[in-house]
Amino acid sequence: MQSLEVALGARSYPIYIGQGLLDGDLLRQHVRASQVLVVTNETVAPLYLQRICDSLQGLNVETLILPDGEQYKTLATLETIFDALLAGHHSRSTTLVALGGGVIGDMVGFAAACYQRGVDFLQVPTTLLAQVDSSVGGKTAVNHPRGKNMIGAFHQPRAVLIDTEVLQTLPERQLSAGLAEVIKYGLIRDKAFHAWLNRHMEGLMAREPALLAEAILVSCRNKADVVAEDETEQGSRALLNLGHTFGHAIETATGYSEWLHGEAVGAGMMMAAELSADLGWLPQEALVDLAQLLQRARLPVAPPAGMKPADFSSLMAHDKKVEDGRLRLVLLRAIGQAVVTGDFDKLALTRLLERMCHS
Ligand code: NAD
Ligand code: GLY
C-alpha cells in the first residue's frame, strides 16, 4: 500500500492506494464515533457494499442505495440522504461513507457538508475518474436544471481509500474517461509523467495492476499538491480545468447524455493544445504526440460532428472562469506547463473553432 497526504493544516487527510483495501480496517480507523451511513448506488452496491460493511463490523452501520446516474445528482436525491440520516437519528459525530464514482462522492460530500452544518465523510472512490480526481480536494456539489455542479460547498473528506482492484469491473468507456484526467496531470504540471504515460498507455488500457497503481499515485500526488496550494480555487487550482471549458460546452451541447465527462475533456484538451500551438507556444510534434496518446486511450480528439463554432462561443461565455465578461482559458506554454489566461488572440480562437468543427 502507498499513502499520501493532502496537506491542509488541521484539515489534512491521507489518501491510501493499494489492492484489496476494501477489506482491511483502514476505513474503520477514520470513523470517529460509532454511527456510520454508507451511501452507494444500485450498480456498485451488489459489487462492493457487503465488503465495506464487513470492514466496519462492530460499528452501528446503516446503508443507503441510490439510483445510478448523473441525472440523480440533484437536490431531490440529497433529501433522500438527509431523510436517512434523520430517520437513523445520526448525530453530529456520525460519519458518511461515499462508495462509488464521482456522482456519489460529490453528493455524499455535499450532504456531509450540510448535515448539522458539517459532519465527517470518507471517500471510497470506485471509478478511475473518482480515484484520480473527484475524491481528492473537497469539491462537493449537486446539479441544478440550469447548470452542472452549481450548488455545492468545499468540504474535505477525513480520508480517501483507493482500492485499485475495483477498477477490474469498470466498463471500458469509464476507464478511458478516467484516463483523460490522468493525461491532464502530465500536460498541466508533470512532463515526466506525460512521458511515462506515453510508454505505458497500452498496459493501462489492459488494466495492469502495477501500472494503474502508479498512474493513480502520481495523479493523486499532483492533485494533492495543487489543492494544498489553492484549496478554494483562487488561482492555480483552475489549471485542473485544462480542456474543461471546451469540454463543458460539448457536454452541454450534447445534453449530458452522449459523451462522458472524460471524453469531452479529452477532445477539449486537444482543442486547448491546438490553440496553444496556433499561438506559437507548442510545437507541432507535441500535438501529434498528444493526439496519439488520447487515441491510444480511446478518447476523442475533436468535437462531435454537428457542433458549430457558434455553439462553442455561446456556451463558453457561461464558463466559471469568465471574469468581467472576459473568457479565460487554460492553455499550454509547453507539455507540463499550463497557464490560465485571458490574454490570447481572440481571432486565433475563432479560427480554431472553425477548423476543428469542420474537420
Ligand atoms: P459516475 O459516478 O457516474 O460513475 C460512472 C459509472 O460507473 C456509473 O454507472 C457507476 O455506477 C459505475 N461504477 C462505479 N464504480 C464502478 C465499478 N468499480 N465497477 C463497475 N461500475 C462502476 O461517474 P464518474 O466519472 O465517476 O464521476 C463523474 C462525476 O464526478 C460528475 O458528476 C462530475 O461532475 C464529478 N466530478 C467531480 C470532481 C470534483 O472535484 N469534485 C472532479 C471531476 C468530476
Ligand atoms: N476537478 C477540478 C478540481 O478539483 O478542482
Side-chain angles (χ1 to χ4, degrees):
M1 184 190 74
Q2 307 257 20
S3 72
L4 299 170
E5 190 189 52
V6 184
L8 289 169
R11 286 170 296 103
S12 297
Y13 55 93
I15 304 171
Y16 303 107
I17 303 164
Q19 286 195 55
L21 297 191
L22 287 186
D23 304 315
D25 70 346
L26 271 174
L27 201 60
R28 196 196 166 95
Q29 288 174 22
H30 294 277
V31 175
R32 257 204 288 183
S34 62
Q35 279 179 315
V36 181
L37 178 68
V38 183
V39 184
T40 188
N41 73 25
E42 58 204 6
T43 305
V44 177
L47 296 168
Y48 304 115
L49 182 56
Q50 190 57 50
R51 282 168 64 188
I52 285 288
C53 292
D54 290 349
S55 82
L56 296 170
Q57 232 175 18
L59 298 173
N60 179 5
V61 179
E62 292 180 350
T63 61
L64 176 64
I65 300 174
L66 299 174
D68 184 5
E70 180 79 31
Q71 70 271 34
Y72 297 105
K73 192 176 151 183
T74 59
L75 283 170
T77 310
L78 214 60
E79 285 266 310
T80 319
I81 304 177
F82 296 140
D83 286 347
L85 287 165
L86 287 162
H89 304 285
H90 285 257
S91 71
R92 285 203 73 188
S93 63
T94 194
T95 299
L96 272 65
V97 176
L99 172 68
V103 169
I104 287 291
D106 278 14
M107 263 194 305
V108 174
F110 189 37
C114 300
Y115 186 66
Q116 300 203 22
R117 301 193 184 87
V119 296
D120 286 357
F121 88 111
L122 305 174
Q123 287 274 20
V124 186
T126 62
T127 62
L128 181 60
L129 182 137
Q131 295 187 343
V132 299
D133 189 355
S134 62
S135 66
V136 176
K139 277 191 181 176
T140 74
V142 294
N143 300 330
H144 184 275
R146 285 176 183 271
K148 196 169 142 70
N149 293 331
M150 280 297 165
I151 304 169
F154 284 98
H155 186 59
Q156 301 292 342
R158 305 282 298 185
V160 181
L161 187 95
I162 299 177
D163 186 338
T164 53
E165 258 171 32
V166 303
L167 298 179
Q168 298 301 331
T169 57
L170 198 64
E172 186 173 284
R173 249 184 104 186
Q174 299 289 349
L175 183 77
S176 293
L179 283 170
E181 304 286 0
V182 172
I183 291 169
K184 176 186 79 179
Y185 293 113
L187 293 174
I188 62 171
R189 69 195 303 280
D190 194 338
K191 194 175 168 188
F193 186 43
H194 181 76
W196 185 89
L197 289 171
N198 253 321
R199 291 198 297 281
H200 295 297
M201 189 48 74
E202 279 65 35
L204 288 165
M205 287 299 287
R207 306 181 202 217
E208 285 179 28
L211 293 180
L212 282 174
E214 178 69 11
I216 294 164
L217 179 74
V218 179
S219 298
C220 285
R221 191 184 297 136
N222 275 295
K223 176 120 192 204
D225 288 351
V226 172
V227 170
E229 203 175 272
D230 178 22
E231 183 183 9
T232 56
E233 201 169 311
Q234 306 304 308
S236 56
R237 187 164 177 170
L239 297 179
L240 296 173
N241 289 323
L242 174 69
H244 286 57
T245 304
F246 295 107
H248 282 155
I250 294 173
E251 285 181 279
T252 312
T254 53
Y256 294 98
S257 57
E258 285 167 43
W259 284 37
L260 297 176
H261 174 71
E263 292 170 335
V265 167
M269 290 193 298
M270 197 65 228
M271 295 176 80
E274 292 248 3
L275 181 55
S276 307
D278 293 346
L279 295 168
W281 299 352
L282 270 191
Q284 280 302 318
E285 311 86 78
L287 285 187
V288 174
D289 161 272
L290 176 60
Q292 284 173 354
L293 187 64
L294 291 166
Q295 282 167 331
R296 288 162 65 200
R298 295 196 199 122
L299 287 162
V301 292
M307 233 184 125
K308 302 201 167 35
D311 299 331
F312 274 102
S313 311
S314 60
L315 291 166
M316 285 163 66
H318 297 293
D319 189 79
K320 288 199 196 89
K321 284 184 295 305
V322 170
E323 245 180 25
D324 287 337
R326 190 163 87 133
L327 177 66
R328 294 182 314 141
L329 289 172
V330 183
L331 296 174
L332 295 173
R333 281 266 171 210
I335 297 293
Q337 195 194 337
V339 288
V340 187
T341 179
D343 190 16
F344 56 87
D345 179 4
K346 300 301 170 297
L347 203 58
L349 176 60
T350 307
R351 288 201 195 106
L352 170 95
L353 293 176
E354 277 166 7
R355 185 173 81 234
M356 292 204 76
C357 287
H358 298 293
S359 56

